[in-house]
Amino acid sequence: MRVLVLFAHPDPESYGAALHRTVVEGLRRAGHEVDDCDLYAEGFDPVLSPDERRFYHDTASNRSNVAGYVARLQAADALLLCFPVWNFGYPAILKGFFDRVFLPGVSFELVDGKVEPALGNIRKLVAVTSYGATRWTAFLMGNPPRRLVCRALRAVCHPAVRTLYLAHYGMNRATPESRAAFLQKVAAKVAVF
């Protein structure tokens, strides 16, 4: 399976980077072809320009500034997001990726004013993430990142897409043992991807 890994953390020494390494190494060991897209390392610009917004619905030209990323997304069979939850949302660079790359004609089609999925190539959608907050606090806040992955992103993928959301909650009080246990859980899940 060809897996596009979108990684969104600026610090290569972070726990998020350890999760990223675990994901990529595990996928490769399992025999998958990995397109490892480290958004910070690649210098991805998350800012939607005025021209990009102006031509957003023009499917003939809307992808011109992000054509390479569109090609990588469309070549994938699976999408794996590896990111920290900040302020109960995606890091800005990942949100910007969705704003600039998940375009009409790429991730969805507008048919008579209704959205129809266009990423039929994505048959597996996975998120590996960490929260400073507890699971209970995330629940009380509505857990926007989980909803965005399991509902909004899922809605533009293949109708039978399988989703998996792996989260380490409570990083503000995490112990070395809890972090190690979550790394092992992620490694085990990726091994049977």
Side-chain angles (χ1 to χ4, degrees), residues 7 9-23 82 183:
F7 174 55
H9 198 296
D11 183 359
E13 303 299 319
S14 67
Y15 182 67
L19 289 170
H20 173 238
R21 285 189 297 275
T22 299
V23 162
C82 188
L183 280 170

Side-chain angles (χ1 to χ4, degrees), residues 9-10 44 46 65 71 106 127 132 141 167 173 180:
H9 198 296
F44 180 78
N65 291 337
V106 176
M141 298 303 257
R173 294 185 180 149

Side-chain angles (χ1 to χ4, degrees), residues 103-184:
L103 299 162
V106 176
S107 67
F108 66 94
E109 302 285 348
L110 282 175
V111 179
D112 297 324
K114 294 183 180 180
V115 172
E116 292 189 3
L119 286 176
N121 55 302
I122 303 295
R123 295 180 169 268
K124 185 136 190 180
L125 175 62
V126 178
V128 176
T129 188
S130 60
Y131 290 67
T134 65
R135 182 185 304 266
W136 178 245
T137 302
F139 171 77
L140 290 176
M141 298 303 257
N143 207 343
R146 184 182 182 99
R147 281 195 333 231
L148 287 168
V149 170
C150 297
R151 294 181 188 176
L153 289 181
R154 183 174 189 241
V156 297
C157 295
H158 190 277
V161 66
R162 292 180 298 142
T163 59
L164 178 62
Y165 194 86
L166 301 171
H168 186 301
Y169 293 93
M171 285 295 292
N172 292 344
R173 294 185 180 149
T175 64
E177 293 79 19
S178 71
R179 288 190 291 271
F182 187 66
L183 280 170
Q184 288 178 348

